[in-house]
């Protein structure tokens, strides 16, 4: 008799627990979309290359098409449906809306989830490949257009709305820094100059 590949898992998604039977080979993306009806997360390439399916797992971004649902058990999953505070959009969502950071909108949920993580990673001082001075004493680098582009490079936009996306991430980072009392970390001058 072949071993069973099915089981029941409990996922915490956007603060709510969901218990569901799944085949252990089910991806987090398919569990979200097909089993729980959370279709905000989009299936793009299904190979982890386009970023359309990006969600947050314990606050860190993952491409959910490559993440098994069983591996997310006991962890906090945040999808685009859990980003806003009721009817009030998250500053990242508002910046995308105000600055036209989306066109067809297909990649937007993944872009926004990724941008949330980018802002947190940057504020925590994590360097990127575009960071020129990674010495600890250099502190948090300015969030320039190059920094944003590098940090968002895992998310593709087929409409080519990159300039607006970079501006939206910069504005949201700046607003988040002000709201949390952190130093001004976004360099809007550089971002606007890149447009």
């Amino acid at each position: 008799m072949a071993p069973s590949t099915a089981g029941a898992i409990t996922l915490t998604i956007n603060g709510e627990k969901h218990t569901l039977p799944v085949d252990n080979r089910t991806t987090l993306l398919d569990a979200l979309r097909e089993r729980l009806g959370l279709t905000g997360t989009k299936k793009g390439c299904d190979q982890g290359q386009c970023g359309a399916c990006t969600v947050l797992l314990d606050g860190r971004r993952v491409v959910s098409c490559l993440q098994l649902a069983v591996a997310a058990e006991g962890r906090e999953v945040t999808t685009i449906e859990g980003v806003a505070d009721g009817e009030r959009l998250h500053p990242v969502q508002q910046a995308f809306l105000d600055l036209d950071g989306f066109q067809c909108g297909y990649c937007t949920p993944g872009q926004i989830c990724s941008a949330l993580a980018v802002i947190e990673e940057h504020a925590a001082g994590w360097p990127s490949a575009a960071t020129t001075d990674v010495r600890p004493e250099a502190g948090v680098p300015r969030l320039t257009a190059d920094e944003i582009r590098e940090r968002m490079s895992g998310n593709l936009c087929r409409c080519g709305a990159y300039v607006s996306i970079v501006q939206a991430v910069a504005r949201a980072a700046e607003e988040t820094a002000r709201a949390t009392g952190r130093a001004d970390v976004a360099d809007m001058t550089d971002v606007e100059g890149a447009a």
Side-chain angles (χ1 to χ4, degrees):
M1 180 175 194
S4 172
T5 60
I9 61 172
T10 300
L11 299 175
T12 303
I13 303 166
N14 303 326
E16 186 178 331
K17 289 192 177 199
H18 302 267
T19 300
L20 63 158
V22 294
D23 184 300
N24 294 340
R25 298 165 290 187
T26 303
T27 65
L28 179 58
L29 174 61
D30 287 339
L32 292 170
R33 289 184 55 84
E34 308 300 330
R35 304 298 307 278
L36 297 171
L38 295 169
T39 56
T41 304
K42 304 302 183 204
K43 182 178 275 194
C45 67
D46 212 16
Q47 298 177 0
Q49 296 180 0
C50 74
C53 66
T54 302
V55 298
L56 302 178
L57 191 58
D58 291 338
R60 297 184 67 178
R61 51 193 163 155
V62 297
V63 282
S64 59
C65 70
L66 297 183
Q67 177 78 38
L68 293 176
V70 294
E73 186 165 26
R75 302 171 73 185
E76 180 67 37
V77 179
T78 304
T79 68
I80 192 65
E81 289 91 347
V83 171
D85 181 12
E87 294 297 314
R88 197 177 91 216
L89 295 178
H90 187 280
V92 172
Q93 293 174 301
Q94 191 63 55
F96 268 68
L97 183 64
D98 293 346
L99 299 170
D100 200 18
F102 58 93
Q103 289 185 9
C104 81
Y106 196 81
C107 72
T108 304
Q111 297 270 8
I112 288 174
C113 285
S114 195
L116 292 167
V118 162
I119 291 168
E120 291 303 314
E121 291 164 7
H122 175 264
W126 294 13
S128 77
T131 304
T132 54
D133 189 349
V134 297
R135 295 173 300 130
E137 58 270 23
V140 176
R142 302 286 297 174
L143 193 54
T144 63
D146 286 344
E147 281 280 350
I148 294 170
R149 283 191 195 100
E150 172 57 29
R151 292 171 190 267
M152 294 289 294
S153 63
N155 292 77
L156 302 178
C157 172
R158 290 162 184 84
C159 298
Y162 293 115
V163 172
S164 298
I165 290 170
V166 169
Q167 291 173 336
V169 173
R171 189 176 96 180
E174 191 173 70
E175 289 176 7
T176 301
R178 279 195 208 117
T180 58
R182 295 191 300 230
D184 180 21
V185 294
D187 189 345
M188 288 295 286
T189 304
D190 175 72
V191 172
E192 290 168 359

